[in-house]
DNA sequence: TGTAAAAGTCATCAACTGTTGACTTGGGCG
DNA sequence: CGCCCAAGTCAACAGTTGATGACTTTTACA
């Protein structure tokens, strides 16, 4: 047959490493830690499977590396506290442009069942979400308020992930959005 | 050697079938759909692994059967609506006696990542939890209120499952309980 | 008691997993 | 150009998984 149109990639360790990282991110978000296989990830990154183990040592280390790239969810903290409920509710429910923060939430909830992933997951959750969230909230029992709001966000995202929004019409979604805003606000306010 | 002290079990198809079902329930709750293996389940039920496939056809059908045994979560509905928040909050957070309803919630969240388990899971969630919950709530937008409360419960349970309550002292837990009660109440009230 | 079907077991299959070691290819430096 | 180490590939491993067909054991009925 003809030659491959373009090798399209000169050898570049940093670039392929990043490609693997991106592919792993997507797969982990879609299928969870156990469900995603190194071969799938490697195929997505257009790389041999052996290279993944070679670069990151093990699947678990790759997972940790992916979690370490998580953003600080700082976009949730741009705005006033009194605005928090509606702001986050719209961000979560208007999922058409699934932004980074929610993607990482998906990784977490999809990997919660894995024993190997549990410990890295817990640590990442604290450092990237809970702690900065509580610090931003301030006030009395900030950690409890942060945890409760975080649990609510997680639950809603998870429900979305499971049901794929099959069972809610447009009016229902609007109602859900406003009510979620109210409840979320009740969770974070001192 | 001596004889086995007691074969301890006459051949009884219904009993072994139930034993398999119980073992599957526990394993699915602990490790999720993908994580639990038929051999583990069979070992727990003191049964050959082949028998599981023989009785239930496939792992997925076994999973469906387990979900079909889920209680209607009717214990959440014993009491007044104005009492709902505190009642459920204490039930969830005093997890020492993990009752059946929460166990099934564990199965759901631990299996949420599995593609094979997704559809049966969604159906069971609706019929065993969401629909009767919404019916019990009544009033305007009962389905939205039921979903939001359910999502919150799921998120809290999941957070518990991940963190194993490592990071909250006794005072914090009390605070979490009262606040969860308040937020939960805000979610269900019209 | 004798026998046939149910209940349970065994061995095995094919597929897939993460990981490793030996190998080949490529590009930059002298 | 010619070398050499990094970058990438190939094949294979040991383990586990779900599933299947042939086999043995028990129970119940005539």
């Amino acid at each position: 047959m003809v030659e491959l149109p373009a090798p399209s990639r000169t050898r570049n360790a940093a670039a392929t490493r990043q490609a693997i990282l991106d592919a792993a991110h997507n797969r982990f978000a879609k299928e969870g830690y156990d469900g995603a296989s190194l071969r799938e990830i490697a195929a997505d990154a257009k790389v041999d499977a052996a290279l993944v183990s070679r670069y990151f040592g093990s699947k678990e280390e790759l997972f940790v590396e992916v979690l370490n790239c998580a953003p600080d969810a700082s976009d949730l903290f741009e705005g006033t506290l009194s605005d928090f409920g509606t702001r986050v509710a719209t961000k979560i429910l208007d999922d058409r442009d699934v932004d980074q923060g929610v993607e990482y939430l998906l990784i977490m909830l999809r990997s919660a069942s894995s024993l190997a992933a549990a410990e890295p997951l817990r640590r990442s959750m604290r450092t990237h979400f809970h702690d900065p969230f509580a610090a931003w909230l301030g006030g009395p029992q900030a950690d409890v308020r942060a945890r409760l709001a975080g649990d609510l966000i997680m639950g809603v995202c998870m429900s979305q992930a499971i049901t794929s929004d099959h069972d809610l019409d447009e009016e229902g979604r609007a109602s859900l959005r406003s009510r979620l805003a109210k409840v979320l606000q009740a969770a974070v306010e001192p």
Side-chain angles (χ1 to χ4, degrees), chain A:
Chain A
M1 292 303 199
V2 298
E3 314 258 322
L4 289 176
S8 74
R9 193 70 58 91
T10 73
R11 292 192 168 188
N12 184 339
T16 50
R17 185 188 157 93
Q18 189 58 45
I20 293 173
L21 227 41
D22 291 344
H25 171 100
N26 289 331
R27 283 291 178 179
F28 284 142
K30 268 188 219 147
E31 315 182 21
Y33 177 81
D34 287 324
S37 80
L38 292 187
R39 282 175 172 82
E40 285 176 335
I41 294 173
D44 288 356
K46 299 189 190 325
V47 155
D48 190 272
L51 208 61
V52 180
S53 290
R54 213 159 191 61
Y55 268 56
F56 296 91
S58 72
K59 187 184 185 182
E60 191 171 338
E61 293 176 84
L62 170 63
F63 186 66
V64 171
E65 209 74 11
V66 169
L67 290 185
N68 282 343
C69 296
D72 281 330
S74 52
D75 47 350
L76 294 183
F77 311 146
E78 298 168 356
T80 65
L81 178 57
S82 62
D83 198 17
F84 184 82
T86 56
R87 182 153 37 91
V88 174
T90 52
K91 179 184 285 280
I92 291 177
L93 295 182
D94 296 353
D95 57 332
R96 293 311 156 210
D97 55 337
V98 189
D99 62 314
Q100 291 287 76
V102 176
E103 278 266 306
Y104 274 96
L105 214 55
L106 278 184
I107 294 182
M108 296 182 186
L109 65 87
R110 292 234 142 93
S111 308
S113 63
S114 170
L115 282 77
E119 174 53 24
L121 212 149
R122 227 184 64 206
R123 213 195 323 264
S124 171
M125 208 146 169
R126 283 196 64 89
T127 59
H128 287 94
F129 183 77
H130 186 89
D131 286 349
F133 189 17
W136 178 75
L137 282 181
Q141 289 142 356
D143 56 340
V144 170
R145 291 183 287 143
R147 166 161 172 178
L148 202 51
D151 292 354
L152 178 55
I153 293 174
M154 204 192 318
V156 172
C157 285
M158 187 165 173
S159 186
Q160 272 189 312
I162 295 177
T163 66
S164 305
D165 280 337
H166 278 152
D167 48 358
L168 226 55
D169 54 0
E170 190 52 43
E171 182 194 350
R173 289 198 22 163
S175 167
L176 177 62
R177 176 161 38 229
S178 72
R179 183 169 282 266
L180 172 59
K182 192 187 81 178
V183 174
L184 214 40
Q185 194 67 32
V188 295
E189 267 179 359

